[in-house]
């Protein structure tokens, strides 16, 4: 018979974290991709309030944020994998639930830095291709940490006072940021 896995088993905990992050990546990027397929008049409509972004600009912003987050996550994954050669994987799951407020537009205000503000210089097709490539990069990084190695590297996250996050949490943060924009846009659509 196969090996029994109990809820306290480190393998089960890492597998649960990885499965949750993978599911979030797949679901969020699928929703972003469906927005990219909207008609051009819908994507480029600018709401009539100060500093409003079009849907296309929200998508471009997400791709910009993903780019910079993935630079950090890539470095962290490399560090975690290097440490895994000599250090044991910490037991337990990554605390993904503490990142839930990142997806809530009412939780706190976001002020993106200047280099993450959309410029409109990319077409929606280019942004869509970037987002699809970023989805693949996220899944590739997650795959590389398939034995729990992502718990071996923590970097500070200043947003929402989150402080130290492991690499699974950083990937989940990236996804939650996308969810923030999806929720914001959904609310905006429902108001007309």
């Amino acid at each position: 018979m196969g090996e029994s896995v109990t809820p306290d088993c480190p393998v089960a905990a890492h597998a649960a974290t990885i499965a949750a992050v993978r599911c979030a990546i797949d679901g969020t990027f699928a929703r972003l991709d469906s927005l990219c397929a909207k008609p051009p008049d819908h994507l480029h409509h600018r709401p009539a309030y100060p500093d409003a972004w079009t849907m296309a600009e929200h998508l471009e912003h997400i791709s910009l944020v993903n780019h910079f987050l993935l630079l950090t996550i890539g470095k962290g994954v490399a560090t975690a994998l290097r440490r895994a050669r000599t250090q044991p994987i910490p037991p337990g799951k990554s605390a993904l639930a503490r990142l839930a407020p990142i997806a809530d537009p009412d939780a706190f205000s976001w002020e993106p830095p200047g280099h993450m503000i959309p410029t409109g210089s990319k077409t929606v097709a280019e942004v869509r291709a970037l987002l699809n490539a970023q989805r693949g990069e996220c899944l590739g990084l997650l795959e590389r940490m398939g034995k729990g190695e992502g718990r071996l590297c923590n970097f500070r996250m200043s947003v929402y006072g989150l402080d130290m996050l492991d690499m699974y949490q950083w990937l989940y943060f990236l996804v939650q940021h996308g969810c923030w924009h999806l929720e914001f846009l959904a609310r905006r659509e429902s108001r007309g």
Side-chain angles (χ1 to χ4, degrees), residues 27-35 58-59 62 105 175 177-187:
T28 301
F29 277 94
R31 290 173 62 202
L32 292 169
D33 190 66
S34 71
L35 285 186
H58 278 272
L59 291 165
I62 293 165
V175 169
H177 171 258
C179 287
W180 186 98
H181 287 275
L182 288 163
E183 178 62 22
F184 178 86
L185 291 168
R187 290 180 187 184

Side-chain angles (χ1 to χ4, degrees), residues 33 36-37 43-44 56 59 122-132:
D33 190 66
C36 292
L43 286 162
H44 298 290
L59 291 165
K122 289 188 175 27
T123 67
V124 174
E126 290 171 317
V127 170
R128 188 179 200 180
L130 271 173
L131 289 170
N132 284 326

Side-chain angles (χ1 to χ4, degrees), residues 14 18 21-22 25 70-85 89 135-153 167-168 171:
H14 298 316
I18 291 165
V21 174
R22 181 178 293 113
I25 290 167
L70 284 166
L71 290 174
T72 299
I73 295 166
K75 290 177 187 174
V77 169
T79 298
L81 294 172
R82 193 170 48 255
R83 289 178 180 167
R85 290 186 222 137
I89 307 293
R135 175 187 176 271
E137 189 174 350
C138 287
L139 290 172
L141 289 166
L142 187 62
E143 183 74 25
R144 290 178 63 199
M145 303 182 293
K147 296 179 183 168
E149 296 94 336
R151 301 280 318 277
L152 288 169
C153 183
M167 292 304 104
Y168 301 114
L171 280 170

Side-chain angles (χ1 to χ4, degrees), residues 43-44 46 51-66 68 110-124 127 130 177 180-181 184-185 188:
L43 286 162
H44 298 290
R46 186 168 312 280
D51 301 322
W53 289 356
T54 66
M55 187 177 291
E57 288 170 333
H58 278 272
L59 291 165
E60 181 187 350
H61 165 73
I62 293 165
S63 73
L64 289 167
V65 171
N66 290 354
F68 290 104
W110 284 86
E111 289 299 326
H115 63 286
M116 294 184 191
I117 294 176
T119 62
S121 61
K122 289 188 175 27
T123 67
V124 174
V127 170
L130 271 173
H177 171 258
W180 186 98
H181 287 275
F184 178 86
L185 291 168
R188 189 168 84 180

